[in-house]
Amino acid sequence: MLRSFTAALAASFLLAGCQGTDAQALTHRPVPAPPVVDGAQPVLWVALADHLGATPLQLVAAGSTLQLSDASGRLGSAPRFSFRWRTQPLPEPLTIRRRVLGPFSSFETAEQAALAWRRLGVEAVVAHPGEWEVWADPERPVPSGYGSKVEEKVVSEVLTLQVQRPDGWRDLQEPVRLEAPGGLRWNGGVFQGPFRLQPDAYGSWTLVEEVPLERYLHGVVPHEIGAGSPPAALAAQAVLARTWALGNQHRFALDGYHLCSDTQCQVYSDPRQARAGVQQAIRATEGQVLAWKGKPIHAVYHASNGGVSANEDEAWSLPELPYLEPAFDRAGGAPQGLSLPLTQRQQVRSVLSATAGVYGQKHPYFRWQRVLGQETFARALGAGAAAVGSPVQPVVLERGPSGRVVRLALRGPLGERVLVRDAIRRTLRRLPSTLFVIEPAGAGLWRFEGGGFGHGAGLSQAGAIDLGGRGWSVKQILRHYYPGTELVPLPSLGALKGGS
């Protein structure tokens, strides 16, 4: 373990010297980047569990045995292996010093901050130590409009992975790999692997599965849209999950893998839930991605748009994406007397009332209400509650073209905190979407009346299920939610590097 860590550390110092920052502290613990996903034979490195190291880990075979190996070679087979971590001193302390932007509510927002920094010629990286942050050299200029802080610490020890053998605990040397001919039991599912145990940029460890792209979809499609959805909706979800994975393979590059398995990425869970209908949808669209001018789109999707889809700028501060435009998601177009943009409160109330012909009405959050009080606002404001004071009143400052709230103030007698775009739902977690109006509901209480679940941009899964049930084809569904895009074969895109 120490040999591989020290080698990576030396390489990082060498790289810093090549960039003219010789003898400068690192911004994070160095970790080898994952391989670029090749369009011809795409394999993703997906984290099944991250930030490991605080407690022991046991991995259990679903079949007969697991086969363990590390840099020294194959270490044997067993039905299960027990692992633990021990702290071990570094030969020389490592100084980590960085300037931090964030935390941010999403990877998308963090990435835009990193891009703003890179436009100033600064090497900035997106990190996820717990929340999304952006890190760079503390001496470099900060992009306009962002607050920052400097963090500095001295790392004097490292977590070394050990495996239990009949004669006691043995240190393992990276790379640590597990083969599972009959599968690995994990989190209620069975995964095929192969698997890796590897350190991350924060000093902890990650359990990673190396999974071919098409097999990865078996663990995504049924958990994202439901295995019982109509065939065309399943096929649309397969195309989008494939496209999204390829376009986001850089999301966890700092930690040495491509994607996570929770809602910070796409939900990737037990592949055994991919029954016949899901398998057929994946086969029917094998190797196909949704593209705009020959490049994979930003394939965002969500549960329900509440009857009107959003553009990308209502959820995140992204560059203009022509295929993500606000539109009424209903038969017959705009309701009578309404047109986009929906920037006024009364327009949004009318949309929430005009449900006739809207696609996806069966979703449980198609229409919803939440009553929030002072305790909720105080928790949301956290340490900043004292600067705002009480009572707090939520005030809509700005709506986007689909009527969604893009700037919301939590206003008190002493000041206010303004939530922007994705920070609204990230802070007020009880709100299913930002398509809402606010009404007083008693002393210190406010009723949020809204529609939809999720950010609202791109495909509405509830809408796709509805349209698939009406006989729409996969191409019709995708063109409906991403106008101007086309299905293209993956090999035509070659090697696919994520990022902007």
Side-chain angles (χ1 to χ4, degrees):
M1 162 63 195
L2 274 178
R3 283 183 291 184
S4 58
F5 182 87
T6 305
L9 179 59
S12 296
F13 276 124
L14 179 61
L15 178 60
C18 293
Q19 294 174 335
T21 55
D22 199 18
Q24 191 168 342
L26 296 174
T27 59
H28 59 278
R29 297 172 186 245
V31 174
V36 173
V37 178
D38 191 314
Q41 293 182 317
V43 175
L44 296 166
W45 289 17
V46 180
L48 298 182
D50 58 6
H51 300 290
L52 300 172
T55 58
L57 173 70
Q58 187 173 86
L59 298 180
V60 179
S64 56
T65 62
L66 300 174
Q67 300 167 5
L68 176 67
S69 63
D70 72 352
S72 67
R74 184 168 174 175
L75 300 176
S77 302
R80 65 185 64 209
F81 283 103
S82 296
F83 300 93
R84 72 178 186 185
W85 286 266
R86 70 180 181 93
T87 57
Q88 187 172 358
L90 286 170
E92 295 182 7
L94 166 66
T95 298
I96 290 180
R97 191 165 183 266
R98 57 186 173 240
R99 186 170 295 278
V100 178
L101 305 185
F104 298 99
S105 300
S106 64
F107 171 82
E108 286 79 5
T109 302
E111 185 176 37
Q112 291 307 304
L115 291 172
W117 223 339
R118 291 167 194 161
R119 285 192 289 269
L120 299 178
V122 178
E123 183 180 351
V125 295
V126 177
H128 193 252
E131 300 286 344
W132 292 106
E133 298 179 349
V134 181
W135 297 347
D137 180 342
E139 307 305 324
R140 303 305 298 272
V142 177
S144 175
Y146 291 95
S148 69
K149 62 181 179 180
V150 173
E151 293 180 343
E152 182 171 349
K153 60 182 176 180
V154 176
V155 177
S156 58
E157 57 189 22
V158 65
L159 283 178
T160 296
L161 180 65
Q162 296 185 307
V163 64
Q164 189 172 30
R165 305 298 300 273
D167 56 349
W169 291 93
R170 167 177 171 166
D171 288 356
L172 295 174
Q173 303 174 26
E174 300 168 49
V176 178
R177 289 175 55 87
L178 281 150
E179 304 281 344
L184 172 74
R185 297 192 183 279
W186 182 259
N187 198 27
V190 174
F191 299 84
Q192 296 304 308
F195 306 91
R196 305 170 65 90
L197 281 163
Q198 59 187 51
D200 60 25
Y202 324 113
S204 48
W205 282 64
T206 309
L207 172 63
V208 174
E209 182 183 14
E210 299 178 20
V211 53
L213 176 58
E214 298 301 313
R215 194 206 312 155
Y216 166 76
L217 298 182
H218 286 73
V220 172
V221 174
H223 301 286
E224 281 288 354
I225 198 169
S229 299
L234 290 173
Q237 181 68 74
V239 169
L240 293 174
R242 186 183 293 116
T243 307
W244 189 95
L246 294 171
N248 283 271
Q249 61 175 278
H250 60 301
R251 191 165 278 228
F252 286 89
L254 188 72
D255 297 311
Y257 56 92
H258 299 120
L259 298 173
C260 60
S261 53
D262 60 24
T263 55
Q264 294 292 331
C265 298
Q266 302 182 111
V267 174
Y268 173 64
S269 192
D270 189 355
R272 294 176 302 177
Q273 299 300 315
R275 297 189 173 91
V278 173
Q279 295 176 26
Q280 174 56 31
I282 295 170
R283 284 195 301 269
T285 64
E286 183 174 359
Q288 292 183 328
V289 296
L290 201 59
W292 171 267
K293 294 185 177 179
K295 294 184 178 180
I297 68 163
H298 188 47
V300 292
Y301 55 88
H302 58 281
S304 166
N305 62 23
V308 58
S309 60
N311 73 9
E312 74 291 329
D313 195 51
E314 293 179 85
W316 316 279
S317 180
L318 295 178
E320 177 65 20
L321 299 173
Y323 48 83
L324 293 179
E325 292 295 327
F328 291 106
D329 195 14
R330 63 191 300 276
Q336 186 174 3
L338 288 174
S339 61
L340 298 170
L342 304 171
T343 57
Q344 303 301 314
R345 176 183 180 279
Q346 188 54 46
Q347 291 176 301
V348 176
R349 178 164 288 288
S350 296
V351 166
L352 294 173
S353 300
T355 60
V358 176
Y359 302 133
Q361 292 191 37
K362 293 182 179 180
H363 192 276
Y365 292 102
F366 175 68
R367 295 290 178 264
W368 51 265
Q369 292 189 11
R370 297 288 186 274
V371 175
L372 305 186
Q374 300 305 307
E375 183 179 347
T376 299
F377 297 135
R379 283 198 305 268
L381 290 166
V388 172
S390 183
V392 171
Q393 177 182 354
V395 179
V396 174
L397 301 179
E398 182 183 353
R399 294 184 184 274
S402 76
R404 285 171 170 79
V405 178
V406 295
R407 293 179 69 238
L408 177 72
L410 298 182
R411 186 172 292 168
L414 303 179
E416 68 179 22
R417 179 179 171 188
V418 177
L419 307 176
V420 181
R421 297 186 179 91
D422 54 343
I424 297 172
R425 286 198 306 131
R426 185 71 171 172
T427 304
L428 299 175
R429 294 176 180 266
R430 289 184 59 202
L431 300 182
S433 79
T434 53
L435 182 65
F436 59 75
V437 295
I438 306 174
E439 300 282 359
L445 300 175
W446 300 89
R447 184 170 62 253
F448 291 70
E449 300 176 3
F453 188 14
H455 50 69
L459 178 133
S460 162
Q461 292 169 321
I465 291 169
D466 191 343
L467 294 172
R470 296 172 187 240
W472 286 39
S473 70
V474 59
K475 289 185 177 180
Q476 288 174 316
I477 292 173
L478 292 173
R479 287 171 183 166
H480 174 70
Y481 287 110
Y482 309 91
T485 59
E486 60 179 347
L487 282 170
V488 300
L490 182 55
S492 69
L493 300 174
L496 296 164
K497 283 191 176 182
S500 302

